[in-house]
Amino acid sequence: MDTLHLVILALIQGLTEFLPISSSAHLILPSEVLNWPDQGLAFDVAVHVGTLIAVVGYFRKDIVHLVTAWFVSFKGGQTSDSRLAWYVIWATIPAGLCGLIFSGFIEEHLRSVLVIAATTMIFGVALGMADWKGKRTTPLEQMTLKQGLLIGCAQALALIPGTSRSGVTITMALALGLERQAAARFSFLLSIPLIVLSGGYEALGLLEDSTIDWSDLFWGITISAVSAALCIHFFLKLIDRIGMWPFVVYRLILGVILLLIAFG
């Protein structure tokens, strides 16, 4: 792979995986606008591994507490950490099931530039409305199972290209009254099992591939991991100050650009 292509695609994945702006909408731009060749399944898996490393590394202390509390919960007694761990597990199921059932249909019928443009704008407006109308009073420790399941069902919508997994989960969390920090943190924690499941599924297709360039994969993992970690850090640092509207405006502009590409 060309070095410039590798760096840009890895940066796109790292920066857009956790921002509410849709990685699929951005990844389509280089191929559509610049006629870049498809980067291949191996590179897709690699950059997802990078983002997984970033989110696990950033939330490593939280993850240790959640996993420990989850195991202790089997002995009786629930804590806020054990409940949150169960919510992450239950909220992952809808997207996992929908992925198994509908992935073929989505891949065949919903990956057009027009669909991505529409979902980029529609779910961008939904994000803005949720941030505007949401009460933003519920901390993560007070989240309920019902809220977790509804956020998990929203995550299943992210199978549609252009929706944005982080965008739609944060949107639902805000609409249900969670604080911005709580919405973002639960969205990021929720990404971990989904990236593991989807990345593992895609990796199965690489078992017999002898043409893999491991150097490209190493740099793809490294660049996406560093950029994703920086993205998570600054997003959580700034979210209460700037809110979601900068991302809403950005999504609307991006959607218009994609529409021009679709009809150009």
Side-chain angles (χ1 to χ4, degrees), residues 82-95:
S82 65
R83 285 193 296 270
L84 182 57
W86 278 110
Y87 296 167
V88 169
I89 292 171
W90 286 112
T92 301
I93 294 174

Side-chain angles (χ1 to χ4, degrees), residues 101-123:
I101 297 169
F102 299 112
S103 60
F105 175 85
I106 292 170
E107 189 70 28
E108 184 175 350
H109 298 287
L110 299 181
R111 294 196 66 83
S112 69
V113 180
L114 185 59
V115 169
I116 294 175
T119 52
T120 296
M121 291 189 290
I122 291 169
F123 286 100

Side-chain angles (χ1 to χ4, degrees), residues 1-12 36-37 39 43 47 213 215-220 223-224:
M1 181 185 297
D2 183 275
T3 302
L4 179 62
H5 295 186
L6 184 154
V7 172
I8 290 177
L9 291 172
L11 282 173
I12 288 175
W36 286 8
Q39 64 269 23
F43 190 77
V47 293
D213 187 329
S215 175
D216 282 357
L217 300 195
F218 169 79
W219 287 112
I223 294 170
S224 62

Side-chain angles (χ1 to χ4, degrees), residues 52-212:
L52 177 64
I53 291 171
V55 70
V56 170
Y58 193 88
F59 290 105
R60 59 191 181 280
K61 292 181 181 178
D62 303 70
I63 293 169
V64 170
H65 292 155
L66 293 177
V67 171
T68 302
W70 183 73
F71 279 111
V72 171
S73 71
F74 286 99
K75 297 180 180 180
Q78 292 283 346
T79 65
S80 59
D81 281 342
S82 65
R83 285 193 296 270
L84 182 57
W86 278 110
Y87 296 167
V88 169
I89 292 171
W90 286 112
T92 301
I93 294 174
L97 290 176
C98 288
L100 289 173
I101 297 169
F102 299 112
S103 60
F105 175 85
I106 292 170
E107 189 70 28
E108 184 175 350
H109 298 287
L110 299 181
R111 294 196 66 83
S112 69
V113 180
L114 185 59
V115 169
I116 294 175
T119 52
T120 296
M121 291 189 290
I122 291 169
F123 286 100
V125 171
L127 175 64
M129 292 299 294
D131 193 46
W132 179 31
K133 295 291 188 179
K135 294 180 180 179
R136 303 200 303 270
T137 56
T138 304
L140 197 57
E141 296 76 18
Q142 294 178 15
M143 191 175 74
T144 66
L145 175 59
K146 179 182 177 181
Q147 289 172 322
L149 287 173
L150 287 172
I151 296 169
C153 290
Q155 181 172 240
L157 293 173
L159 293 167
I160 304 171
T163 302
S164 171
R165 191 211 61 80
S166 61
V168 75
T169 51
I170 290 173
T171 296
M172 179 59 79
L174 290 172
L176 293 171
L178 268 70
E179 298 171 342
R180 285 175 179 152
Q181 284 283 336
R185 286 183 172 273
F186 188 68
S187 172
F188 294 159
L189 290 171
L190 199 55
S191 74
I192 295 172
L194 197 65
I195 295 175
V196 170
L197 291 172
S198 61
Y201 178 77
E202 290 178 344
L204 292 176
L206 304 175
L207 295 178
E208 298 180 358
D209 190 345
S210 60
T211 63
I212 295 174

Side-chain angles (χ1 to χ4, degrees), residues 204-249:
L204 292 176
L206 304 175
L207 295 178
E208 298 180 358
D209 190 345
S210 60
T211 63
I212 295 174
D213 187 329
W214 292 103
S215 175
D216 282 357
L217 300 195
F218 169 79
W219 287 112
I221 291 171
T222 303
I223 294 170
S224 62
V226 172
S227 57
L230 290 171
C231 177
I232 294 170
H233 174 74
F234 285 106
F235 182 72
L236 290 174
K237 205 171 183 62
L238 296 172
I239 186 174
D240 286 326
R241 189 186 312 169
I242 65 174
M244 295 297 162
W245 282 97
F247 304 106
V248 175
V249 173

